[in-house]
Amino acid sequence: MTDETFWDLIGTLDGVIDEDGADLLGERLSSLGAQEVEAFCAHLAGKVRALTGLPLEGRPVPDVSDEGRPPIPLVGDAYENLLYAVVAAGRGRYEAVLADPPAVEDEEWDAGQAELLVDVVATVLWDVAGLHWARDFDLLLSGLPDGGRWYDTYRGSAWKGAPGAYMRAAHTLDQALNDSAEWRAWWGQAGLRMIEVGVTVNADRNRERVERGKEIAKATFERDRSYFADRDPAGLAKLAAEEAAHIMGAIARALGMTPPPPLPSASR
């Protein structure tokens, strides 16, 4: 993909990041082949990386969301959002910032919805190329050591906190699976580096999905608000074990693997 093609695609956003522009960009990217989508992501990461070499962090940069209030120094997520907003603004404004970084303070930027650009790119990258934006391209997250994990999990609750006993039991079991040579050998047949599993409890309904990517797999499991119904604390560890057995069985079936081994003895 040439630089011209990249900027032509960015032009779909018409200078700002909003839902309509993100949807249009997503449609255009989805019509491309896997190699072109990867190339677009490499260009995007490269443009943002070039901005990180400039003295932009900590500057009081005006944003449209300030609504007349004095701008505040941008750090953390706000700084990262600015970087994507500068790219989304198009080639002319991007190159102007490269040429004169302090001038970034002289105009308003629309960084409040910058995550829309990352979200649409990450979705298309996975759907078309089977690659993971955060692990393969994101400047802050890609290349970080995974601690030797083959089983990467995250858990959350859609509307209220999950019981602490359940969360502790699930975390302990997740770690035991990662540390188990038997389970690591079982996962080896998938031919993938790792699987990322997200579990959401207290969702609006039960649903689950397992997808194979180029180097990793992703799985999502959602359980409705009856998930913890009538469970006393003593039963939550058993629930976590039942959950793990179900998740692993679903993964095995979806990826064409042999049935998983028994759970580590501490969880049974």
Side-chain angles (χ1 to χ4, degrees):
M1 175 176 288
T2 65
D3 215 43
E4 292 290 340
T5 301
F6 170 80
W7 286 117
D8 176 65
L9 288 165
I10 287 293
T12 304
L13 299 172
D14 200 23
V16 296
I17 308 171
D18 57 26
E19 291 186 4
D20 290 340
D23 288 344
L24 288 173
L25 177 61
E27 291 175 8
R28 290 195 61 184
L29 289 175
S30 295
S31 70
L32 304 177
Q35 288 187 336
E36 290 174 295
V37 171
E38 287 185 53
F40 176 89
C41 291
H43 274 278
L44 177 59
K47 304 300 183 192
V48 174
R49 185 177 295 108
L51 293 175
T52 64
L54 304 178
L56 299 179
E57 188 171 13
R59 288 186 176 276
V61 178
D63 189 274
V64 295
S65 64
D66 293 337
E67 298 180 341
R69 296 185 297 271
I72 61 175
L74 300 185
V75 296
D77 290 343
Y79 163 66
E80 186 178 0
N81 287 346
L82 172 67
L83 303 182
Y84 285 100
V86 171
V87 178
R91 186 172 194 166
R93 294 179 73 189
Y94 174 83
E95 292 182 346
V97 172
L98 286 181
D100 185 15
V104 74
E105 299 178 30
D106 297 336
E107 58 181 305
E108 282 189 332
W109 299 87
D110 189 6
Q113 299 190 84
E115 68 276 4
L116 291 174
L117 175 57
V118 177
D119 289 347
V120 72
V121 168
T123 298
V124 176
L125 179 64
W126 177 263
D127 291 344
V128 175
L131 291 174
H132 197 292
W133 169 262
R135 297 188 184 281
D136 297 310
F137 291 95
D138 187 280
L139 295 176
L140 299 179
L141 301 177
S142 64
L144 291 179
D146 60 16
R149 296 189 304 273
W150 64 269
Y151 181 51
D152 192 21
T153 59
Y154 56 94
R155 286 179 169 79
S157 178
W159 68 285
K160 67 178 182 179
Y166 157 81
M167 295 295 284
R168 289 190 293 272
H171 175 75
T172 298
L173 181 50
D174 293 344
Q175 188 60 56
L177 290 169
N178 266 306
D179 292 344
S180 169
E182 182 181 21
W183 275 87
R184 185 176 294 277
W186 172 80
W187 174 247
Q189 67 185 283
L192 299 169
R193 189 171 75 244
M194 69 188 310
I195 184 162
E196 181 182 273
V197 177
V199 180
T200 301
V201 296
N202 293 320
D204 59 345
R205 61 189 174 94
N206 292 329
R207 53 195 157 199
E208 52 193 57
R209 184 176 184 181
V210 181
E211 303 172 283
R212 175 187 289 272
K214 190 173 182 179
E215 297 181 0
I216 71 170
K218 293 200 304 184
T220 55
F221 295 84
E222 298 181 54
R223 293 296 178 259
D224 66 23
R225 295 179 184 180
S226 67
Y227 196 58
F228 297 123
D230 301 322
R231 294 272 185 172
D232 60 33
L236 292 173
K238 180 181 179 183
L239 175 63
E242 292 171 348
E243 174 186 275
H246 175 82
I247 287 173
M248 291 305 180
I251 290 170
R253 291 189 295 274
L255 300 182
M257 301 169 65
T258 60
L263 295 176
S265 58
S267 67
R268 286 179 269 156

